[in-house]
Amino acid sequence: MRGPLVVKRAFSEPLLLLAAFGSILLATTTLVALTMYASSIADAGVRRTMETASYRQTAATISAPVTAETFPKFDQAVRAELGRAYTEPPAVTTSFRSDSYTMPGQEGRELPELLRFGSYDGLDRQARLVAGAWPKPGDEPVEAAISLSAASATGFEVGQEFTTRGRLDPRPVKVRVVGVFQLNDPFGERWAGEQLLSRGVERGDFTTYGPLMVARETFVARFATSVNATWTAVPDLRALTPEQLRPLAGAIARIGERLKAGGCPSCVAAGHLPEMLTQLDTASLVARSTMLIPVLQLLLLAAYALMLTARLLADHRRMEVALLRSRGAGTMRLAALAGGEALLVALPCAIVAPFLGPPLLALVNLLPWIRSSGVRLAPEADVGTYLVSFGVALAAAVLLVLPALAGARRTYVEEQSARGRGGGRGLIERAGADLALLVVAGLAIWQLQRYGAPVTATAAGGLGIDPLIISGPALALLTGGMLGLRLVPRISKLAERLTSSRPTLAPALGAWQVSRRPLKYAGPALLLTMAIAIGIVSLATASTWRSSQLDQARHQAGADLRLSGPPDGPELGALGRGTAFTALPGITAASPAFRGQTEVSGESALLLALDAAKLGELFHLRPDLSAQPVGELARALAGDQAGRLDLPGRPATLTLRAEASAEMSLRLVVSDALGVWRDVSLGVLKPGENRVEVDLRPLAGRSGTITYPLSLRGLVAGAPEGTANLEVTGLSADGQDVAVPALTMSVTRSTAAPFVRGPEPGPMPVVLTADLAASLKLGVGQVGRASIDRRVLPVKVVGVVDTMPTTAAGQKAVLADWGTMQAYELAAAQPPRPATEWWLAAGNASTAAAALKDHPEWDVTALDQQQLAATLRDDPLASGLQGALMLGFLAALVFAVLGFLVNAAVAARERMAEFAILRALGVSSRQVFGMLAMEQAFVIGLSLAAGTGLAVVVGVLVVPHIVLTGQAAAVTPDVVLDIPWAVTGAMLALVAGVLFAIVAGLARNLRRQGLGLREEQ
């Protein structure tokens, strides 16, 4: 009898049970889809990160001093240990660097120039031959290949033979240069620790050239005299899963310890892979935990919507329950009836939801940012999916039963006496629970702001999801909504006073009804408020995330298009690269740039130099990161410029005549119309009159052209011993004499003189990051002294920025004008800074980047801001939250509409007798419907306004702290909240339109029943 009674009882209230079924089905389906989504996103994010990881991130190195006798043993031990540590054996290369050798012909000098030899496995795969062949193993002469930059600096050519002696090993080495090569990416991460190999020359107390690369067998046999050997392992990690990350990180981190314990005490292991894997594991956990935020918001909203429906059902049946109790039905019997009814609704939802989840994910796959990321969400339900579905459904059944059990102990008399009694304050408000929740929510949000992610350390030393932090946003929304309920009685009474003084009846009746029984309207208002707040927070989070990706791309790129590569090459020389780059399609502005790590007064900082005149067009600095706009910084940065001697026409050759009092080396500093500076070796001058011919065409490269006019900046001379005098006696370009101001100079070790003297340079204007300015104790407008590259310079701070474009988080940086910095280099007799990068402005940088792909011989790496922004948006771990937000956003709106519909329909049905009495008293049907519209408009308007205000508060407190990078790191530059007000307004208008349409539908239904009801009354 119980089974059929449960069914009959359930179908006696089809509207409420249908609403409960819809709420439970929506909650279970959405949560099942979110569970499957989070799992798929984590796997896809790990796979994508491993596929796109850089060499620096994945390479692990082991170094040790070796000799010809110890190397074979160490080599075998290292390779065996690397094979054990990785899941798949990595590719291992070995490299060596020798001690110093003296440049041929300089054995008797006190400070001779030096050479180094080296070996690198697989160099032929990382470089291409410009001339000659790769060296082969052999004894005498030793075959060697030299980089193009080193060959240019030393003058070595293919086929040349010479003999050199080591400073520690006196045995002579006969060398034959058999090849000249160019690294494919000389400034890439692979060569970060190989500065000599990438640059060809290092200048310090000694000038060192090389390295002369020889075969590994030759190096071990001839040069391995306690020199350093480096083993580099580059693994293939594209098949890694999230579960393998931490075990692999631990195994790699212990390689050094195991090698020392196994007989290689001097082996030192280094690399960023353990940290990267650990960080990726953390990022995967953070991505999954962050997606719990919309899940918990949705759970809270679903629970409240279900409890609201359950309360309506219990209120509707309380007299029935009281009658059953008076006829002998016990609490257990009533609980069994309520439980059976709840299970009758919940169990079908639990069974159906796992089958509805995959189609819902298929819709998520259609989202543009999910499709562009390449993530394809697996539409398969597993055991975990069913556990989630049944868990949510059973929890919903319990919520559906609770209000029925709460009223099961009341007698019929108690229910009769309780009917019609309202209250201005609910139980939660009377107990002050909303204030207590406010404290808990505030603590959770404070922790989120402090830790930056909903993940904290566990007692076991690992990482785990902090339930308090995760629940913070949801608790904030609930608490804000509950606090808003305190306004319902006050606003309703105010509305009653305002409308009672007006002649129209309907608004007065509606406001009086709300003020008389505010708790009747508080439930739907809280549901709508929370749903609207969740929707706006979801929109704000998605919009903020997209804006942040663009900010990150602009910050990392610095300009529309940033090109990096060797400043000089055989195809495009130093003065040919800018000409080629500025001719790319769509380029509107360009500047050569120097960008590199340096030391500023003991602080490691990035030195960035750009043409200040182009800063406004090129430099992407978000306005809030600096107190001064970029245009003002540009005007202040342009300092004193060096004088120059412009050459007429388009000369291809120069002839310099000079008289020297002693032997000295001489270099000529020239610049082109694009501002690129280049020093040209004029060789060694002999005492007396010298005539030096300079061919300018190689400065452009084989396929490059020079942008004229050319300018002579100055001469840099060096006398090996003592002091010498130099006088320029004549200059001609393409055979035509050029008037040269009198130029004489007294030369010591290294001396520079400009062709045209400009004003005495004052302090060099610089822009500093805030942390560097604080370290130097300098503010805007202040002048001080700073050591840059170990040279003390007077500097004037013309601007301070929170963070400098192209820098990492927390990286100190200094920005200077390109021409001003070169003038200071010339004054210090230093070679001009090379143009390590080119910054370009373009209407469509992608077109220029695509054109660059047609010229691989240019040796250029392009960083396209638009492409970078797309890559950031496509990161599954970073973008995964967006799909979860959209699912939660849509589900919240459906919950809001469904809850409002049920509450409005039930309220209207319960008051049909009241409406009939009003009609009998002479109130028109139009006035009755106006009263109903006034009541519901109060709920709708209050909910939309309160939900919007609550969303703004929660957005300011929460959203900037849950927008992270794909590696779960803080975003640089800082996240700025972006609420898309146009979309938000459209969403609010749409929701309001749907809700008022529901009210209109109810009014139309009442109109159809109004006459019959009046006759019945």
Side-chain angles (χ1 to χ4, degrees):
M1 188 67 183
R2 182 178 300 175
L5 178 59
V6 169
V7 175
K8 291 179 180 178
R9 191 167 184 258
F11 282 96
S12 66
E13 294 292 342
L15 177 62
L16 293 175
L17 265 297
L18 183 62
F21 176 80
S23 298
I24 298 174
L25 182 62
L26 180 60
T28 50
T29 302
T30 307
L31 291 170
V32 161
L34 284 172
T35 302
M36 299 170 67
Y37 176 80
S39 177
S40 299
I41 285 294
D43 289 339
V46 170
R47 185 171 60 253
R48 174 68 61 82
T49 302
M50 290 292 95
E51 289 174 350
T52 58
S54 66
Y55 176 89
R56 177 177 177 272
Q57 291 174 313
T58 58
T61 62
I62 299 170
S63 60
V66 298
T67 63
E69 293 75 23
T70 61
F71 172 72
K73 175 186 175 182
F74 287 176
D75 184 61
Q76 182 180 4
V78 168
R79 292 177 184 272
E81 191 57 52
L82 289 172
R84 282 192 294 268
Y86 290 89
T87 53
E88 294 289 338
V92 181
T93 59
T94 310
S95 60
F96 306 86
R97 291 297 170 267
S98 74
D99 294 323
S100 299
Y101 285 74
T102 304
M103 277 285 286
Q106 299 185 15
E107 291 80 2
R109 289 189 180 181
E110 181 181 351
L111 296 175
E113 295 178 319
L114 304 177
L115 286 175
R116 284 187 185 271
F117 291 86
S119 177
Y120 192 97
D121 292 348
L123 182 62
D124 56 343
R125 295 189 296 272
Q126 307 299 331
R128 68 180 186 280
L129 282 171
V130 177
W134 293 109
K136 297 177 181 178
D139 294 331
E140 291 287 343
V142 172
E143 292 189 359
I146 189 170
S147 67
L148 180 65
S149 53
S152 175
T154 59
F156 291 157
E157 299 177 349
V158 173
Q160 182 175 347
E161 292 190 5
F162 58 87
T163 301
T164 181
R165 293 179 181 272
R167 291 171 63 80
L168 300 179
D169 184 358
R171 294 177 298 168
V173 180
K174 188 175 182 180
V175 182
R176 178 191 295 134
V177 178
V178 298
V180 176
F181 63 88
Q182 174 70 50
L183 294 176
N184 295 334
D185 185 11
F187 294 94
E189 294 180 345
R190 181 181 294 271
W191 315 113
E194 303 279 0
Q195 296 296 322
L196 184 59
L197 181 58
S198 61
R199 299 179 183 273
V201 58
E202 286 182 348
R203 304 185 189 275
D205 292 337
F206 290 88
T207 298
T208 305
Y209 302 101
L212 293 164
M213 306 302 288
V214 301
R216 185 170 80 166
E217 297 84 353
T218 303
F219 190 97
V220 173
R222 183 64 186 80
F223 300 101
T225 55
S226 290
V227 296
N228 205 52
T230 302
W231 292 265
T232 304
V234 182
D236 183 358
L237 303 175
R238 291 174 293 181
L240 272 185
T241 62
E243 294 75 21
Q244 296 174 313
L245 294 174
R246 283 196 180 269
L248 180 59
I252 297 172
R254 291 189 295 271
I255 287 178
E257 298 176 6
R258 291 196 296 267
L259 281 172
K260 290 179 179 179
C264 184
S266 57
C267 285
V268 177
H272 299 279
L273 185 56
E275 292 83 355
M276 176 197 172
L277 295 176
T278 304
Q279 180 67 24
L280 184 57
D281 179 70
T282 303
S284 177
L285 178 61
V286 169
R288 294 194 297 268
S289 64
T290 306
M291 278 185 271
L292 286 177
I293 292 177
V295 168
L296 290 180
Q297 292 176 354
L298 184 61
L299 273 174
L300 193 62
L301 186 65
Y304 187 76
L306 194 60
M307 290 185 68
L308 199 59
T309 303
R311 193 190 72 183
L312 289 173
L313 185 62
D315 287 346
H316 202 66
R317 285 179 169 168
R318 59 182 180 176
M319 297 307 300
E320 172 190 322
V321 170
L323 285 172
L324 288 174
R325 188 168 182 79
S326 66
R327 295 182 179 183
T331 303
M332 296 301 297
R333 170 76 171 178
L334 294 173
L337 279 174
E341 190 176 37
L343 290 176
L344 186 66
V345 176
L347 285 180
C349 298
I351 297 171
V352 173
F355 297 97
L356 296 179
L360 188 57
L361 285 183
L363 295 177
V364 175
N365 267 332
L366 299 178
L367 294 174
W369 51 89
I370 298 297
R371 294 184 63 184
S372 62
S373 68
V375 177
R376 294 299 174 261
L377 306 178
E380 296 181 1
D382 54 12
V383 176
T385 303
Y386 281 97
L387 290 177
V388 171
S389 180
F390 275 88
V392 173
L394 289 177
V398 171
L399 291 176
L400 201 59
V401 170
L402 287 178
L405 293 180
R409 294 183 176 275
R410 290 182 181 177
T411 65
Y412 183 79
V413 176
E414 289 173 338
E415 289 291 355
Q416 283 281 38
S417 61
R419 291 188 66 182
R421 289 195 310 222
R425 303 172 67 200
L427 176 62
I428 292 178
E429 185 179 336
R430 291 196 302 271
D434 51 355
L435 297 178
L437 278 176
L438 178 62
V439 174
V440 175
L443 178 61
I445 292 177
W446 174 78
Q447 285 190 310
L448 175 62
Q449 294 175 341
R450 180 182 179 186
Y451 295 117
V455 172
T456 55
T458 62
L463 289 176
I465 298 174
D466 190 316
L468 180 62
I469 297 178
I470 280 292
S471 60
L475 289 176
L477 292 172
L478 175 62
T479 305
M482 292 172 62
L483 290 174
L485 293 184
R486 292 175 175 261
L487 301 177
V488 173
R490 295 168 176 80
I491 295 178
S492 61
K493 288 187 178 299
L494 177 62
E496 181 187 5
R497 285 198 298 269
L498 292 176
T499 55
S500 61
S501 60
R502 296 180 177 274
T504 51
L505 178 63
L509 283 176
W512 172 79
Q513 176 68 19
V514 175
S515 66
R516 185 172 67 95
R517 305 179 65 184
L519 289 183
K520 275 288 185 180
Y521 301 91
L526 178 57
L527 178 66
L528 275 177
T529 298
M530 289 177 58
I532 294 300
I534 290 174
I536 296 177
V537 169
S538 298
L539 289 175
T541 305
S543 180
T544 300
W545 181 85
R546 288 191 292 272
S547 298
S548 178
Q549 306 315 299
L550 181 58
D551 287 343
Q552 291 177 63
R554 289 171 62 87
H555 177 82
Q556 293 177 26
D560 294 337
L561 187 64
R562 180 157 58 92
L563 308 182
S564 59
D568 204 348
E571 199 67 26
L572 288 180
L575 301 188
R577 300 178 76 77
T579 308
F581 299 156
T582 54
L584 291 171
I587 300 301
T588 57
S591 170
F594 177 85
R595 180 175 173 272
Q597 204 67 21
T598 187
E599 184 181 283
V600 179
S601 297
E603 301 281 348
S604 177
L606 178 78
L607 174 60
L608 181 61
L610 287 166
D611 185 352
K614 306 290 181 60
L615 214 62
E617 300 172 83
L618 296 173
F619 200 59
H620 289 171
L621 180 68
R622 204 172 66 189
D624 66 302
L625 298 178
S626 172
Q628 302 135 289
V630 173
E632 184 177 334
L633 292 177
R635 289 188 295 272
L637 264 182
D640 298 322
Q641 304 293 311
R644 65 186 186 187
L645 176 63
D646 293 333
L647 297 177
R650 305 168 67 86
T653 60
L654 288 178
T655 302
L656 180 73
R657 297 181 295 278
E659 185 173 341
S661 63
E663 182 179 296
M664 67 179 67
S665 62
L666 189 63
R667 305 183 74 83
L668 173 67
V669 179
V670 301
S671 65
D672 65 3
L674 296 175
V676 180
W677 289 46
R678 177 71 155 82
D679 60 328
V680 182
S681 175
L682 301 182
V684 178
L685 302 187
K686 302 299 182 182
E689 186 68 29
N690 293 266
R691 178 187 175 92
V692 183
E693 299 282 347
V694 181
D695 187 357
L696 299 175
R697 288 169 294 188
L699 298 180
R702 286 194 294 263
S703 61
T705 57
I706 297 175
T707 301
Y708 291 95
L710 284 179
S711 302
L712 303 185
R713 296 290 185 167
L715 291 172
V716 179
E721 297 177 359
T723 302
N725 295 319
L726 174 69
E727 180 182 0
V728 176
T729 58
L731 177 70
S732 59
D734 283 345
Q736 296 183 356
D737 288 339
V738 177
V740 181
L743 195 160
T744 59
M745 54 193 301
S746 179
V747 181
T748 54
R749 285 190 58 185
S750 184
T751 307
F755 272 93
V756 177
R757 294 194 176 276
E760 284 297 321
M764 185 169 73
V766 293
V767 174
L768 305 177
T769 52
D771 47 4
L772 184 57
S775 298
L776 298 178
K777 298 180 180 179
L778 293 175
V780 176
Q782 292 183 327
V783 176
R785 300 185 72 80
S787 170
I788 299 179
D789 278 344
R790 301 180 182 178
R791 295 204 315 275
V792 178
L793 299 175
V795 296
K796 178 181 180 181
V797 180
V798 298
V800 174
V801 298
D802 292 341
T803 181
M804 191 75 71
T806 74
T807 60
Q811 186 178 17
K812 298 178 175 67
V814 54
L815 171 67
D817 173 50
W818 169 263
T820 306
M821 184 190 68
Q822 298 288 27
Y824 274 89
E825 297 293 332
L826 179 61
Q830 294 293 318
R833 298 269 182 177
T836 59
E837 294 183 344
W838 279 85
W839 290 40
L840 308 174
N844 185 358
S846 299
T847 305
L852 280 172
K853 294 179 180 179
D854 297 332
H855 298 281
E857 71 279 5
W858 288 358
D859 284 343
V860 175
T861 300
L863 187 59
D864 178 4
Q865 179 208 300
Q866 296 175 350
Q867 182 60 42
L868 179 58
T871 301
L872 292 174
R873 288 196 301 266
D874 294 347
D875 185 343
L877 290 179
S879 63
L881 180 61
Q882 312 311 303
L885 287 171
M886 290 303 102
L887 280 173
F889 167 68
L890 295 175
L893 294 186
V894 174
F895 271 122
V897 172
L898 183 62
F900 181 83
L901 172 63
V902 172
N903 278 274
V906 171
R909 187 175 65 180
E910 288 180 345
R911 297 173 59 199
M912 289 182 68
E914 176 185 330
F915 293 154
I917 294 173
L918 289 173
R919 291 283 291 122
L921 292 175
V923 179
S924 67
S925 59
R926 185 173 181 179
Q927 289 175 318
V928 171
F929 301 143
M931 180 186 70
L932 178 63
M934 178 63 184
E935 296 171 11
Q936 300 304 326
F938 178 85
V939 174
I940 295 171
L942 181 62
S943 301
L944 295 183
T948 302
L950 179 59
V952 172
V953 173
V954 174
V956 170
L957 295 175
V958 172
V959 171
H961 302 282
I962 62 175
V963 175
L964 304 172
T965 67
Q967 289 72 44
V971 172
T972 303
D974 292 339
V975 178
V976 176
L977 178 65
D978 179 23
I979 300 178
W981 288 112
V983 178
T984 299
M987 185 267 289
L988 292 175
L990 178 62
V991 171
V994 171
L995 298 182
F996 279 115
I998 292 173
V999 174
L1002 290 174
R1004 189 178 299 109
N1005 185 56
L1006 287 176
R1007 183 180 289 110
R1008 286 198 301 266
Q1009 301 181 36
L1011 182 61
L1013 182 62
R1014 187 170 61 251
E1015 291 175 353
E1016 181 181 342
Q1017 285 298 110

